[in-house]
Amino acid sequence: MSEEKINLDIEEMHCAACSSRVEKALNNAEGVKEANVNLSTEKAYIIFDPEITDRNNLINAVKESGYDVKKNREKVIFDIGGMSCASCAQTIEKNLKTMDGVFNADVNIATDRGTVEYDPLELDKEEFVEIVKKSGYEIISFENNSKEEKDKKKINDEEKVKKAKRRMIGTWVFTIPIILWMIPEMFMGIVWPNQTIYNLGMILLAVPPLFIFGRRTFSSAYRSVKHGGANMDVLIAMGTGAAFITGPAVFFTPIANFAGVAGMIMAFHLTGKYIEESAKGRASEAIKKLMELGAKKAVIIEDGEEKEIKVDRLQPGDIMVVRPGEKIPTDGVIIEGQSSIDESMATGESMPVKRSEGDEVIGATVNQKGFLKVKATKVGKDTFLSQVVKMVEEAQGTKVPIQKFADKITGIFVPTVLVIATLTFLSWMIFPEFFQDIAYWASGFLPWVQPGLNSFTLAIFATISVLVIACPCALGLATPTALMVGSGIGAENGVLIRKGEAIQVMKDINAIVFDKTGTITKGKPELTDIVLGSTNNFKKEEVLKLAASVESASEHPLASAIVNAAEEKELSLKNVNNFESITAKGVKGEIDGKEVLIGNERLFSEKNIDVVDLKDELKKLENEAKTAMLVGYDQELIAVIAVADTLKEDSVEAINELKNMGLKTAMITGDNKRTAQAIANKVGIDHVVAEVLPDGKVKEIDNLKKKFGKIAMVGDGINDAPALTKADVGLAIGTGTDIAIESADITLVRGELSAVVTAVKLSRATFKKIKQNLFWAFFYNLIAIPVAVAGLLHPVIAEIAMATSSITVVTNANLLKKENIEASYLE
């Protein structure tokens, strides 16, 4: 029989009995030749006959044994062509979500992009091409971080605006004569030179705006209807089409000629589209700026000589030469020289920072003074700049929870408007006297209302107005444009929003919880004190030598501080045997056959070593916000050593500003209560949770949620990953080029706590714009549609209002750029 091999990742196995049960179930499954399940790797290795069974059957066998198979998840982003409004995006998104193997799909009308999270074992990219095509649209390109693709997309975006401008100008060439010819007829009743020529002129002048410059609107409407959808172009096509048909109809029926009005509607529609495209371009300016920041060329040392190459030819390990005033071509490490570097493009920090040999540097930042040699460590899509662009694009492709409501409205909007338009026409025909009375009343202050026309003409007039006044685009653009601008501003200020949902959740946060080490403090502790016991004859250098010898085997930051202190004094360390790290208590090891202990009171209590001699000194040091550790040698307490981690420069100011913004503050740490409280008192933190084991942080986050409600957690993103995930919003402080922190909702590139203030202000400002946009979009439609049904809106005015509504929400989103999101003490 034929054979195939497959590996499955098994979930929820806890012991050998679990793996044995899964293995037995797989081996008993039809078509399986051999199955082995490894508990430590949580994998099932299966050989099977593909003619008898398949992957789905094997997964079902695992499920029937009481366990599950981990889903393979990948994310793909692609550019979509042919969308004209939010209804288009809704149609594509709905069809993508119906595909087997798709976990989530978002289609963003503001960026013309689709983001799909899927199982690559069940789907491939070509299937997305097909489903988008069946929806009536096309995938232009899949995400590619190459410079050529980025440049191509930029050109496509620019060309889209240019085409919109050409269509707008071409339409107005014919629409301006229509307006000039219609004015005497509308306001003075003068038809020049006669009714027949006037009617023919209106028809002929309306043809180019509708069927040459506006043909894209009609083709988009046709595609939408053909594939079972209905977008905004359907409304415009029906409105302008109905208006145009009245032109030829005047020669056969007693009806007013609205052909010229059809041309005017299309002119304003295309003008609105041009302004909208331009505004959307401004909304994505931030990401375009980021893409343009990178250096174009690099100077490398090859065979002992300097050689200039294109940046995209750089390889990890290349030695780059960077002179004063030049951009650093790519991420790397300084191997020679020192300088001040302008990192504002990455962190938003305006002041240059000092960098010297061994320090990481970020590509596209500017070398200010010194001559540097930099070893390239990351190139292409792995660089800091590429990751930032990718994160911003992903954030722009996600949705905030409030958008789900808007999406539901958008999904049924066009069909609902078509029903309203039909009912409007029928109502005018069935109850002409009622509507005529309204028309007579309104004609006193609305010059375009003409109650003297026959009811059929007025019914057509009102129906066209309803079709063109309705605007799902304003609803569809309200959220994504604000999120696009907000995420771009964040990227420029070192605040990278990974998930759009964080924008909405952040505004409801009641408290911010901080990790201590590396978040409030610098995370680089130094040895500050050695206090000797009174019952032994050890000297301070001897204690330091013993402690550093044992701690040299540890990877803890406090251990590094002790070892560094010994190295500075040029002490030669001793060999250590049987080293052991005891979680949340300390370390131990053997030197010259004697046991050395370094840790807290719990460790010494377990070893039955009396600590009374130095207990007061221990408390004193801890009250000074120092981490104090007892040192024991051969079952005897010999000293207390203290290490202090200094506060970050702006910790006090940042926490004070957060409190002024109405937020509670808390700190969570593994340090003892006295040290933790001393730090909290220094920075002004309200609530302290101390002596927390690494695996206990998640439980403490739950407790803090019960106490405060919704909370945000700020940590380093590595040790704090589970807690960051558990919090309602996780903010990870990234350092240098390390920004790929998957556990966080928001990554703060700046190391200072001022970045937390910036993140809170940005979130509040962005969501405020989202709420404003949604209000105006809903308010506009709620007011405009009933007015149009009553026949009180001229179709052209209706189209102007419709176009204005979309432009308004995009323009309002762009006003975010004027918001002050910096911490007040940095202003």
Side-chain angles (χ1 to χ4, degrees):
M1 69 176 183
S2 57
E3 289 183 359
E4 275 191 22
K5 294 180 180 180
I6 189 174
N7 298 337
L8 298 177
D9 294 311
I10 312 298
E11 288 186 315
E12 300 171 4
M13 292 193 302
H14 306 294
C15 65
C18 300
S19 59
S20 178
R21 185 172 178 178
V22 176
E23 184 172 292
K24 182 179 178 181
L26 286 169
N27 279 311
N28 289 337
E30 188 179 7
V32 174
K33 183 178 179 182
E34 184 182 350
N36 294 298
V37 179
N38 189 313
L39 177 63
S40 60
T41 61
E42 297 183 325
K43 285 183 180 291
Y45 305 90
I46 309 162
I47 302 173
F48 66 99
D49 185 347
E51 295 177 3
I52 299 175
T53 190
D54 58 19
R55 183 174 181 271
N56 287 333
N57 289 333
L58 297 173
I59 291 173
N60 287 333
V62 174
K63 288 182 176 179
E64 287 172 7
S65 69
Y67 301 89
D68 207 347
V69 175
K70 291 179 184 176
K71 295 284 188 181
N72 293 282
R73 287 177 180 261
E74 282 190 12
K75 187 179 285 185
V76 63
I77 300 174
F78 43 80
D79 296 305
I80 302 172
M83 293 195 298
S84 60
C85 73
S87 294
C88 304
Q90 280 285 294
T91 299
I92 299 170
E93 186 176 295
K94 182 180 178 182
N95 290 338
L96 286 169
K97 285 180 176 178
T98 60
M99 299 175 73
D100 291 334
V102 169
F103 302 115
N104 190 40
D106 289 316
V107 178
N108 191 323
I109 183 61
T111 59
D112 291 327
R113 280 195 154 199
T115 304
V116 180
E117 195 174 2
Y118 71 106
D119 185 344
L121 296 177
E122 292 189 39
L123 290 168
D124 60 41
K125 290 181 179 180
E126 291 307 312
E127 291 180 78
F128 296 131
V129 174
E130 283 302 311
I131 199 73
V132 172
K133 189 176 181 181
K134 286 179 181 177
S135 304
Y137 307 90
E138 63 174 333
I139 290 179
I140 297 172
S141 64
F142 285 92
E143 178 192 42
N144 191 314
N145 285 310
S146 71
K147 187 177 182 301
E148 289 78 11
E149 284 293 325
K150 295 294 184 186
D151 290 343
K152 183 179 176 183
K153 185 178 187 318
K154 181 185 172 186
I155 292 168
N156 285 340
D157 290 344
E158 291 173 351
E159 188 60 31
K160 191 188 288 187
V161 175
K162 287 178 182 177
K163 284 181 179 178
K165 186 176 182 180
R166 286 196 294 268
R167 285 193 290 266
M168 176 189 70
I169 292 172
T171 305
W172 279 108
V173 167
F174 294 90
T175 303
I176 289 173
I178 289 175
I179 294 171
L180 294 175
W181 206 349
M182 285 180 67
I183 285 174
E185 190 270 342
M186 284 182 68
F187 295 100
M188 293 174 281
I190 299 172
V191 180
W192 182 87
N194 58 58
Q195 191 69 52
T196 301
I197 293 175
Y198 174 82
N199 286 333
L200 286 171
M202 289 294 114
I203 295 167
L204 292 174
L205 285 171
V207 167
L210 265 64
F211 305 114
I212 297 176
F213 302 106
R215 69 180 183 275
R216 186 172 177 270
T217 301
F218 283 91
S219 61
S220 171
Y222 170 73
R223 282 199 314 272
S224 181
V225 173
K226 180 183 175 183
H227 292 90
N231 61 12
M232 189 191 76
D233 286 334
V234 171
L235 300 179
I236 299 299
M238 290 183 68
T240 55
F244 180 78
I245 289 170
T246 62
V250 296
F251 296 104
F252 310 103
T253 58
I255 189 173
N257 183 352
F258 293 129
V261 170
M264 292 169 66
I265 290 172
M266 186 59 75
F268 282 109
H269 172 64
L270 295 180
T271 301
K273 279 293 175 187
Y274 166 66
I275 297 172
E276 187 182 306
E277 287 292 342
S278 301
K280 280 162 66 176
R282 289 197 301 275
S284 60
E285 261 177 16
I287 199 167
K288 289 175 183 174
K289 282 187 204 169
L290 286 169
M291 288 162 60
E292 292 168 359
L293 282 174
K296 305 295 184 287
K297 294 180 179 180
V299 176
I300 63 170
I301 298 176
E302 193 173 276
D303 298 326
E305 294 184 0
E306 292 186 11
K307 179 182 178 181
E308 186 175 88
I309 62 171
K310 290 184 177 180
V311 166
D312 55 13
R313 287 182 56 201
L314 278 170
Q315 297 295 322
D318 283 345
I319 305 302
M320 304 176 292
V321 174
V322 188
R323 292 180 168 81
E326 293 180 345
K327 286 182 179 179
I328 296 170
T330 194
D331 298 356
V333 175
I334 297 174
I335 60 170
E336 185 181 315
Q338 59 180 11
S339 181
S340 294
I341 296 176
D342 178 3
E343 295 185 349
S344 58
M345 57 74 60
T347 65
E349 175 57 59
S350 58
M351 296 298 292
V353 293
K354 291 182 179 179
R355 294 285 183 258
S356 57
E357 190 173 324
D359 287 337
E360 286 185 336
V361 289
I362 300 170
T365 56
V366 181
N367 177 24
Q368 297 276 33
K369 295 179 180 180
F371 176 89
L372 298 175
K373 285 185 180 179
V374 179
K375 182 179 180 180
T377 55
K378 295 177 183 176
V379 297
K381 66 180 182 180
D382 296 324
T383 64
F384 174 90
L385 188 58
S386 294
Q387 287 190 62
V388 169
V389 171
K390 183 179 179 182
M391 286 173 68
V392 174
E393 287 176 341
E394 286 184 0
Q396 292 176 351
T398 62
K399 292 183 177 180
V400 297
I402 197 173
Q403 192 173 347
K404 292 176 183 177
F405 175 64
D407 285 347
K408 286 180 182 178
I409 301 295
T410 303
I412 61 170
F413 192 90
V414 175
T416 302
V417 171
L418 291 174
V419 171
I420 293 171
T422 303
L423 292 174
T424 298
F425 180 80
L426 294 174
S427 298
W428 273 86
M429 297 303 295
I430 296 170
F431 308 106
E433 294 85 1
F434 172 75
F435 287 103
Q436 284 280 12
D437 288 343
I438 295 175
Y440 274 112
W441 168 76
S443 62
F445 54 89
L446 298 175
W448 56 80
V449 177
Q450 301 177 45
L453 298 174
N454 62 69
S455 296
F456 182 70
T457 298
L458 291 173
I460 292 290
F461 182 92
T463 302
I464 293 170
S465 295
V466 170
L467 288 170
V468 299
I469 191 67
C471 182
C473 265
L475 285 171
L477 289 168
T479 299
T481 47
L483 184 58
M484 185 189 299
V485 176
S487 58
I489 293 171
E492 290 177 340
N493 288 274
V495 177
L496 304 178
I497 301 165
R498 299 183 65 89
K499 300 172 187 174
E501 184 179 355
I503 292 287
Q504 181 168 340
V505 179
M506 197 73 184
K507 77 174 181 65
D508 297 322
I509 290 299
N510 299 314
I512 296 187
V513 182
F514 297 90
D515 174 49
K516 182 180 77 70
T517 306
T519 303
I520 295 173
T521 62
K522 292 180 179 178
K524 295 180 180 178
E526 298 176 352
L527 182 69
T528 57
D529 301 87
I530 298 177
V531 181
L532 299 173
S534 60
T535 59
N536 60 75
N537 298 317
F538 281 89
K539 295 180 180 178
K540 288 186 178 182
E541 284 196 356
E542 290 174 328
V543 171
L544 179 56
K545 191 172 185 177
L546 286 171
S549 298
V550 175
E551 293 286 15
S552 64
S554 173
E555 295 180 355
H556 196 281
L558 299 180
S560 299
I562 296 169
V563 174
N564 290 339
E567 289 176 351
E568 286 176 8
K569 292 183 177 294
E570 298 182 352
L571 301 177
S572 56
L573 303 185
K574 293 177 174 286
N575 293 327
V576 179
N577 298 316
N578 300 322
F579 173 82
E580 183 182 347
S581 176
I582 305 163
T583 303
K585 294 175 185 175
V587 295
K588 68 177 182 178
E590 289 183 8
I591 296 177
D592 299 330
K594 305 290 186 181
E595 187 177 65
V596 179
L597 297 175
I598 306 167
N600 56 26
E601 289 182 72
R602 279 183 288 174
L603 176 62
F604 277 69
S605 176
E606 288 177 4
K607 295 289 183 178
N608 295 316
I609 300 175
D610 191 359
V611 298
V612 174
D613 182 39
L614 290 171
K615 196 159 188 174
D616 290 341
E617 291 293 338
L618 186 71
K619 289 181 180 179
K620 178 186 173 187
L621 292 168
E622 288 174 350
N623 289 333
E624 293 172 359
K626 296 173 181 177
T627 300
M629 293 165 279
L630 300 165
V631 182
Y633 179 75
D634 192 23
Q635 288 295 107
E636 182 185 1
L637 176 67
I638 61 171
V640 172
I641 56 176
V643 172
D645 185 6
T646 55
L647 296 175
K648 289 181 177 178
E649 284 79 2
D650 70 339
S651 290
V652 175
E653 293 90 344
I655 287 168
N656 184 55
E657 185 155 355
L658 290 169
K659 290 169 76 173
N660 289 338
M661 292 165 69
L663 294 167
K664 296 289 185 182
T665 56
M667 183 176 74
I668 189 166
T669 178
D671 269 356
N672 64 74
K673 291 179 181 178
R674 284 190 295 271
T675 302
Q677 191 61 56
I679 291 286
N681 292 340
K682 279 188 176 183
V683 296
I685 279 179
D686 305 310
H687 186 79
V688 177
V689 182
E691 298 179 8
V692 180
L693 299 177
D695 57 357
K697 284 189 177 180
V698 171
K699 182 181 178 182
E700 292 300 335
I701 290 294
D702 272 332
N703 292 337
L704 289 169
K705 279 185 177 182
K706 292 174 185 175
K707 182 178 180 66
F708 295 114
K710 288 190 176 181
I711 64 169
M713 166 78 183
V714 185
D716 62 16
I718 301 167
N719 300 328
D720 302 312
L724 289 172
T725 304
K726 188 68 177 176
D728 295 289
V729 179
L731 295 95
I733 291 184
T735 54
T737 58
D738 178 27
I739 64 164
I741 303 169
E742 295 296 333
S743 55
D745 301 303
I746 299 173
T747 299
L748 309 173
V749 181
R750 283 206 313 267
E752 293 82 12
L753 290 195
S754 60
V756 179
V757 177
T758 299
V760 174
K761 286 189 173 183
L762 176 64
S763 298
R764 290 181 175 182
T766 303
F767 194 76
K768 182 180 176 183
K769 287 298 177 190
I770 289 173
K771 288 196 296 184
Q772 288 173 355
N773 281 352
L774 286 173
F775 169 79
W776 286 114
F778 278 112
F779 180 78
Y780 157 81
N781 281 295
L782 286 172
I783 297 299
I785 292 176
V787 174
V789 169
L792 305 181
L793 274 182
H794 193 285
V796 173
I797 295 173
E799 174 54 37
I800 294 171
M802 188 278 287
T804 302
S805 68
S806 293
I807 295 165
T808 299
V809 296
V810 179
T811 303
N812 188 47
N814 277 300
L815 292 176
L816 254 177
K817 296 173 184 176
K818 296 184 178 180
E819 294 279 347
N820 181 16
I821 62 166
E822 284 293 334
S824 62
Y825 57 88
L826 297 178
E827 295 166 15

